[in-house]
Amino acid sequence: MSNDVNSDPVSPLSAEARVFLMLQGPHGPFFWQLGKMLRSAGATVWRVGFNAGDRAFWFSTKTFLPYTGTPEAWPDSFERIVEEKGVTDIVLYGDPRPVHALAVARAKQLGLRIHVFEEGYIRPFWISYERDGANGHSELMSLTVEDMRMALANIDHDNVEAPDHWGDMRHHIFYGALYHWFVMFRNGVFKHFRGHRELPVTYEFMLYFKRLMMMPVHRLSRRIHTARIRRSGHPFHIALLQLEHDASFQVHSPYSTMPEFISDVIEGFAKGAPRHHHLVFKAHPLENGRRNLTAEVKRLAEKFGVKGRVHFVRGGKLASLLNYARSAVTVNSTAGQQVLARGLPLRTFGTAVFAKPEFVSHQPLAEFFAAPERPDTRAYKDYRQFLLETSQVPGGFYSARGRRQLLRHVVDMMLADHGPYAALISGKAPPRQPVRTPR
């Protein structure tokens, strides 16, 4: 194979010999429940907390290690904790966060196992579990479609279709607001804490709270705008927007702000798209209004002379628009996989695990809007199946049902000697349970 995925990066250890150090996780109780199940398997589990939000969702003071030092002192403090506790594994959510990036670098030097969680590459009812890194740091970046086909050649599998909606969005927003409330009002001892986003915590909390309160209004607005676009009869293309502060956008893309991407897309559309075509900007479901994207889209459409042909739609289900679209563009949003699953042309701008040459276009943008290249759907189906057999774990972080489903699978994967990709490539992967689509 043309990849460098190591099939046995560390020495085998029994569950009883494993000591897990958990860093920051998704908002809510998932890391606490994960730690409980790892302990029930015989492992030792510790949790480092960097703020009151981390502490609020860890219900054991005996195993909670508050980090109250400065960010500059964190790497040495991390190494000291590893030595004192005999840590063999670290667990984290989102590897580009500064505290995580520093810990991962030290952990690799020390030969520790590194378990990385992220939102699913195939959403909504899967999460991503990988070793050593995710997104642009993922082992997927070095794997070709042919590598994946070889790994799949000797296993039986059934295709599993992902639902079109993100099932626990309300829980996600609720836990986000609650987490930031604790950081805002209970963070006294964590005076050196700096978030991985540039906004003040008080403003983050207000944005989450406003988003939660405005959900019914936004839902109505979204339905009205979507209905108008579909009923107009115009061919249209979709631009998939992301959260500007998200690590995938900031670390793995050529842009620093969303208006930069919007400007490039509208300019390319104005130069290349047939004059009867329209362009729809679809906001991320968790977009909370920290930047007025509606105004930015309107301003740039006027600048490039396509006013009336460019639209903005708030969050919600992507399928209601994708089912009628001609093509899509994105920086590196995982929603691009919903585009590819429908056989639609897709143009990306950033580093993405799914940006394989077989099914993602690299045409100049004006040329793409004029005559987009179709993806190799057979290659994409093989790629998708490889993900479902490896790093995509059924379940979710935020709803109780999603967490139960996730824990049934992921703990055994964490205790295994091989990571998910290496296990399948080496022929040592256990069979995956059939996935039932939640109703």
Side-chain angles (χ1 to χ4, degrees), residues 5 62 81 88 108 123 187 218 230 261 289 300 304 383:
V5 175
K62 293 182 179 179
I81 293 170
T88 60
K108 288 181 177 179
R123 298 182 186 177
N187 220 43
H218 291 168
R230 288 168 53 180
F261 169 65
L300 290 166
F304 292 108
Y383 168 86

Side-chain angles (χ1 to χ4, degrees), residues 52 55 68 182-192:
R55 182 175 58 191
T68 58
F182 277 104
V183 177
M184 188 166 59
F185 293 111
R186 294 289 187 269
N187 220 43
V189 299
F190 300 96
K191 60 183 179 181
H192 296 296

Side-chain angles (χ1 to χ4, degrees), residues 130-411:
E130 300 177 89
R131 300 280 177 94
D132 295 331
N135 294 307
H137 301 145
S138 170
E139 292 173 340
L140 283 171
M141 300 303 298
S142 64
L143 287 169
T144 67
V145 172
E146 188 56 35
D147 292 334
M148 298 175 188
R149 283 171 168 161
M150 291 173 63
L152 291 169
N154 297 319
I155 65 171
D156 294 325
H157 52 77
D158 295 319
N159 289 323
V160 180
E161 294 303 320
D164 293 322
H165 62 282
W166 194 339
D168 49 5
M169 182 60 65
R170 288 173 298 174
H171 303 87
H172 193 157
I173 295 171
F174 169 77
Y175 283 126
L178 186 58
Y179 177 91
H180 285 94
W181 184 91
F182 277 104
V183 177
M184 188 166 59
F185 293 111
R186 294 289 187 269
N187 220 43
V189 299
F190 300 96
K191 60 183 179 181
H192 296 296
F193 171 70
R194 298 177 196 165
H196 60 284
R197 301 169 182 172
E198 77 268 4
L199 292 180
V201 173
T202 52
Y203 191 41
E204 284 269 4
F205 170 75
M206 292 305 299
L207 289 173
Y208 269 103
F209 183 76
K210 180 181 177 181
R211 178 75 176 86
L212 195 62
M213 295 298 101
M214 292 296 291
M215 285 183 74
V217 175
H218 291 168
R219 187 182 301 116
L220 178 61
S221 171
R222 179 171 63 246
R223 288 176 177 174
I224 292 171
H225 282 88
T226 300
R228 286 176 179 171
I229 293 164
R230 288 168 53 180
R231 291 172 183 172
S232 72
H234 290 284
F236 65 88
H237 310 262
I238 294 182
L240 303 172
L241 298 181
Q242 295 165 243
L243 298 177
E244 188 176 287
H245 60 267
D246 188 78
S248 292
F249 184 84
Q250 290 295 329
V251 178
H252 302 299
S253 89
Y255 300 107
S256 58
T257 69
M258 195 56 65
E260 294 172 4
F261 169 65
I262 294 172
S263 179
D264 281 356
V265 172
I266 294 180
E267 182 178 11
F269 174 78
K271 290 179 178 179
R275 297 186 64 177
H276 63 292
H277 283 211
H278 284 220
L279 175 64
V280 179
F281 284 91
K282 171 70 168 56
H284 189 280
L286 287 173
E287 180 58 53
N288 54 19
R290 65 178 61 201
R291 189 186 291 276
N292 190 340
L293 294 179
T294 305
E296 291 289 342
V297 168
K298 182 179 179 181
R299 177 181 67 82
L300 290 166
E302 291 178 351
K303 175 182 176 180
F304 292 108
V306 287
K307 181 181 177 181
R309 295 170 56 200
V310 178
H311 314 273
F312 178 83
V313 176
R314 296 182 183 274
K317 298 179 183 179
L318 181 57
S320 57
L321 286 169
L322 266 187
N323 290 339
Y324 300 89
R326 288 292 186 90
S327 72
V329 297
T330 185
V331 176
N332 54 10
S333 171
T334 54
Q337 298 219 47
Q338 291 191 47
V339 178
L340 294 169
R342 289 166 169 78
L344 296 175
L346 177 66
R347 175 70 161 87
T348 61
F349 292 81
T351 302
V353 295
F354 58 84
K356 305 297 183 183
E358 290 86 350
F359 39 79
V360 169
S361 172
H362 296 283
Q363 296 169 272
L365 198 49
E367 181 182 320
F368 177 82
F369 281 121
E373 296 173 350
R374 295 180 62 178
D376 181 341
T377 54
R378 290 183 180 178
Y380 175 69
K381 287 179 181 178
D382 291 335
Y383 168 86
R384 184 177 185 275
Q385 191 61 47
F386 181 82
L387 292 189
L388 289 172
E389 295 287 347
T390 53
S391 62
Q392 301 308 284
V393 188
F397 298 124
Y398 306 105
S399 70
R401 180 175 62 179
R403 291 192 298 272
R404 288 194 298 268
Q405 191 175 22
L406 177 53
L407 289 169
R408 292 188 185 104
H409 296 261
V410 79
V411 173

